Amino acid sequence: MRWVLIGLSTLVFAGCGSKYRPKGPVMSDYERTLNFPTYRSFAEQRYAGKDPKTQAPPLPFLAFGAAFDLDIALMPKSDDFDMIEVARLSRPSGPLWFALETNLEGDQTLVASIDDIDAILPELPLARRAVDRFNAEDASDAETIDLTLSYINSLGNRVDAKFEGDAPVQTERKRNGRAFDHSANQLLVALDIPAQESLFKADMKLDGADVSFRKIAGVVPGRFVQTQVQGGLAVGKFAIMPEGLGYGGPEYGEVIVEKVVTEDSAPVEVEVRPSEAVKVTVAQNFSTVQGCYLKRTEEVPELGGPLQVDFDISEGVVVGTALPEVEGGITDEVMTRCITRAVDGWTFADNVTGKVQWTFSFTPAEGDGEASASLGEGIYDLKEDVAEAAEADLDELDDFEMDESEDLPEAEEGEVEGEDEPATAEMDMNQGLRPEFALKNFTTVHTRPSGDTVKLKWLVTRRGNEVEAVQATPDRTLTYTYRLVSDAYLELMNIRVEQYGRGTPVTAVSFNPPLPDFRWESFGGKRVSDFVIDVNGQQNYMVGQVETAPGTTGPRLLVRPSAPSWAEDRPLLTTILYPGDGTANVITERVEL
């Protein structure tokens, strides 16, 4: 049963409160075709310089994306907060409830009861506060919202709240939402708001005192429930540190948080069991498996079932992969070949040696649903886990007994077992490139306002004249795609952000012409590229230009949004410094033009 308040917010938005209502795309599909045809080159593009200043791909700024299953937005009468949002995020470990608090200056703080709060969407430059208490009792269903919350906010106050109302189920025709001044100093953001409803009831207490809400157009209290996806570009400072050649390393995909050490704290090193290390690595690389499946379902939509992957690991390196047939399992050659190649490129912690049997599950789309992939579970026979496995009487390991008197065979450097010719991933990636042009994996190092350091491990791969830099965690995957020109120059074409449980990228940023390779001493002077941002599969939510030019201290990139109107006042400026040791320092900040 729908609440009697239904329709009132729509009536208000249509009148003097219309500034709150989402708009449509900022350009039509026809204009998109004209403005963003097949990637074109700059006229008479010229590069100069003996070598690139770094062998890591150029990373001018960090893109981000975040899809919330539910987002309750509140506009309290408060001297501390302009808005409080309570949202639910789907993660492999289960749903995570958190608060996003916006102060009167528009800066946001993420509040959650989770130890690895810095590892949640680490590219977001938001202040974070891990609290001991964040309890959510969610009795909502497909038609109604019924949520009870109790948590400690960023100021240390106790919050108790009860929310009831209609669930946001009816998709609106216009969904391009306005961010107002929220996160104005932190993000260039576009919002997709598919559906929104006014809450019938929103009781909120702060340290036992009732909280009232501001009214929109003097009629509707500012308390709403909505589905929301956001994406764009983030401000911040980070260093790019190139590492080894080839495909990944034992820490690829990790988000490493190093806390500031004070007199009262000291770093603690924890030895991770091999089986736990395997679980983490498979989860971090799951997006590659998911990508193989979703891409294949574009041609074979009915494809589905389990897929067993057996792989041998020697000191963190995959040395053998097999896909045995299972009853009802997937045998599609294109998909299995794609997944085999992906698994062959995975690397694990150095202490992992043995055999792993992992079964993924794939479900084709039904009705209006989307195809999906499930991480599944693994069975292990690893050197340091054998004794514990025996104690647990794991019968399923019988088929994977290992002769502990012998180590797994290791391929000679430059060779792959079973092949006569050298065919390492490293050689494949840099084949035809001069050594000084060879591509490297890299780490980005970010410093939080607290002084904590966050390190993101990136993987670089190449397919012909297309190169990708990927940073994957269990929650999301960032992919930067470049075209390789003349076996030397990397020009950034697009950025894609994918999130766990979502079949559609939450954010896609396209540049045309592609951004020039500013790692070189000269890239032809000032260059201007158009950009467009798509959110949640909805095209043309933001457009503008990126001006790339040499600077006195290094290349500079000015991001000028031109539509929608509320994005115009959020230009970004990136300055890139090259210390001369093969690294790069990137600074992206809000500027006034």
Side-chain angles (χ1 to χ4, degrees):
M1 177 179 178
R2 309 295 282 176
W3 300 99
V4 294
L5 190 61
I6 187 168
L8 183 56
S9 62
T10 302
L11 178 64
V12 172
F13 284 156
C16 57
S18 61
K19 69 175 183 177
Y20 294 96
R21 187 172 60 183
K23 307 295 184 182
V26 295
M27 67 178 175
S28 67
D29 291 340
Y30 176 72
E31 292 172 315
R32 173 71 171 258
T33 302
L34 292 179
N35 296 334
F36 288 83
T38 301
Y39 288 108
R40 62 187 187 273
S41 300
F42 286 110
E44 299 182 359
Q45 177 67 52
R46 295 289 186 270
Y47 292 94
K50 181 180 179 182
D51 302 324
K53 298 181 184 297
T54 178
Q55 289 180 275
L59 204 71
F61 23 63
L62 280 185
F64 72 92
F68 305 146
D69 304 326
L70 278 179
D71 179 46
I72 294 175
L74 309 167
M75 301 166 59
K77 293 180 178 179
S78 170
D79 295 331
D80 298 312
F81 302 114
D82 179 66
M83 179 172 283
I84 299 173
E85 294 177 77
V86 179
R88 188 180 73 210
L89 179 72
S90 291
R91 306 186 68 203
S93 57
L96 171 69
W97 282 98
F98 63 93
L100 201 59
E101 300 176 343
T102 304
N103 64 20
L104 301 183
E105 288 73 43
D107 296 328
Q108 294 185 311
T109 300
L110 191 155
V111 181
S113 178
I114 186 170
D115 292 335
D116 61 344
I117 192 169
D118 281 301
I120 302 296
L121 305 178
E123 61 278 6
L124 284 174
L126 305 181
R128 295 155 190 258
R129 181 181 176 90
V131 296
D132 294 332
R133 178 179 178 184
F134 202 114
N135 298 325
E137 297 180 10
D138 188 3
S140 306
D141 56 31
E143 295 292 331
T144 60
I145 298 298
D146 186 354
L147 176 66
T148 303
L149 290 175
S150 177
Y151 68 95
I152 305 299
N153 71 8
S154 60
L155 300 179
N157 306 121
R158 173 177 171 174
V159 177
D160 295 289
K162 174 70 174 179
F163 305 114
E164 294 179 351
D166 294 320
V169 294
Q170 183 174 350
T171 301
E172 300 292 337
R173 186 172 62 88
K174 295 183 178 181
R175 301 163 43 167
N176 189 356
R178 181 170 183 164
F180 300 98
D181 293 329
H182 301 165
S183 67
N185 296 322
Q186 301 157 303
L187 304 171
L188 174 60
V189 60
L191 302 178
D192 179 44
I193 303 177
Q196 184 182 71
E197 291 283 353
S198 293
L199 285 169
F200 177 76
K201 177 181 180 181
D203 292 334
M204 192 173 205
K205 296 182 182 295
L206 192 66
D207 284 340
D210 290 333
V211 175
S212 56
F213 303 99
R214 305 194 307 273
K215 292 185 178 181
I216 298 175
V219 179
V220 176
R223 55 194 199 196
F224 304 96
V225 59
Q226 58 193 9
T227 54
Q228 183 195 118
V229 181
Q230 57 178 265
L233 304 176
V235 306
K237 301 178 181 180
F238 58 92
I240 300 176
M241 304 176 63
E243 297 180 343
L245 300 175
Y247 279 53
E251 295 177 330
Y252 159 62
E254 285 191 13
V255 176
I256 304 170
V257 180
E258 297 179 349
K259 297 290 185 180
V260 176
V261 179
T262 65
E263 294 180 357
D264 300 326
S265 64
V268 178
E269 295 186 1
V270 179
E271 178 68 22
V272 179
R273 287 180 53 202
S275 58
E276 294 300 318
V278 170
K279 288 181 181 179
V280 170
T281 301
V282 174
Q284 289 172 340
N285 289 276
F286 176 57
S287 60
T288 61
V289 173
Q290 187 180 44
C292 289
Y293 175 62
L294 295 179
K295 184 174 181 61
R296 187 57 176 154
T297 57
E298 294 176 2
E299 298 182 2
V300 189
E302 71 277 8
L303 187 63
L307 181 68
Q308 180 179 317
V309 183
D310 299 346
F311 44 97
D312 296 340
I313 308 170
S314 178
E315 296 181 352
V317 178
V318 176
V319 295
T321 307
L323 277 67
E325 291 189 14
V326 297
E327 184 177 354
I330 291 178
T331 58
D332 181 84
E333 184 177 351
V334 174
M335 179 178 163
T336 55
R337 183 168 62 247
C338 177
I339 290 178
T340 298
R341 288 176 177 173
V343 174
D344 284 342
W346 294 356
T347 50
F348 299 77
D350 292 340
N351 66 334
V352 177
T353 291
K355 296 175 180 286
V356 176
Q357 172 187 305
W358 201 284
T359 301
F360 302 98
S361 180
F362 304 94
T363 304
E366 294 184 5
D368 296 331
E370 298 178 341
S372 63
S374 175
L375 180 61
E377 296 289 342
I379 299 174
Y380 317 92
D381 190 357
L382 306 173
K383 274 196 169 181
E384 295 184 16
D385 286 341
V386 170
E388 296 182 31
E391 293 176 4
D393 192 25
L394 298 180
D395 296 334
E396 58 268 37
L397 291 178
D398 290 344
D399 295 334
F400 281 82
E401 290 185 0
M402 204 173 66
D403 184 358
E404 296 186 56
S405 64
E406 297 180 4
D407 291 331
L408 289 172
E410 295 187 15
E412 294 292 332
E413 184 175 356
E415 296 183 350
V416 174
E417 185 180 10
E419 297 186 6
D420 296 327
E421 298 296 329
T424 63
E426 176 179 319
M427 291 181 60
D428 287 343
M429 175 143 94
N430 290 299
Q431 185 176 11
L433 304 185
R434 287 166 46 187
E436 59 269 29
F437 298 168
L439 303 173
K440 289 188 175 183
N441 302 307
F442 60 95
T443 296
T444 52
V445 183
H446 312 254
T447 302
R448 299 280 192 215
S450 62
D452 295 345
T453 299
V454 180
K455 298 180 179 179
L456 307 181
K457 297 287 186 176
W458 293 72
L459 169 70
V460 179
T461 60
R462 173 188 169 194
R463 293 187 298 274
N465 290 327
E466 187 173 288
V467 172
E468 288 188 343
V470 180
Q471 211 291 317
T473 72
D475 295 310
R476 63 93 185 101
T477 299
L478 308 179
T479 303
Y480 287 61
T481 303
Y482 310 80
R483 64 177 179 187
L484 179 62
V485 179
S486 300
D487 289 336
Y489 314 113
L490 291 177
E491 299 179 345
L492 180 60
M493 296 190 295
N494 59 69
I495 310 171
R496 187 173 70 253
V497 185
E498 297 165 286
Q499 185 171 312
Y500 168 79
R502 297 266 172 168
T504 302
V506 293
T507 308
V509 187
S510 299
F511 306 97
N512 208 359
L515 301 186
D517 189 343
F518 42 77
R519 302 176 302 159
W520 293 82
E521 183 177 327
S522 172
F523 44 83
K526 180 179 177 180
R527 293 288 185 260
V528 179
S529 300
D530 295 320
F531 78 87
V532 60
I533 299 179
D534 305 326
V535 183
N536 196 29
Q538 305 301 303
Q539 291 193 332
N540 313 326
Y541 268 22
M542 185 181 295
V543 296
Q545 292 186 325
V546 180
E547 300 175 4
T548 308
T552 55
T553 57
R556 294 158 65 89
L557 295 89
L558 178 61
V559 181
R560 291 177 175 267
S562 57
S565 58
W566 57 76
E568 294 178 11
D569 63 350
R570 295 197 185 196
L572 303 178
L573 176 65
T574 289
T575 302
I576 302 173
L577 309 175
Y578 296 107
D581 57 357
T583 65
N585 295 321
V586 181
I587 304 170
T588 302
E589 53 194 339
R590 267 288 314 280
V591 292
E592 299 292 336
L593 300 179

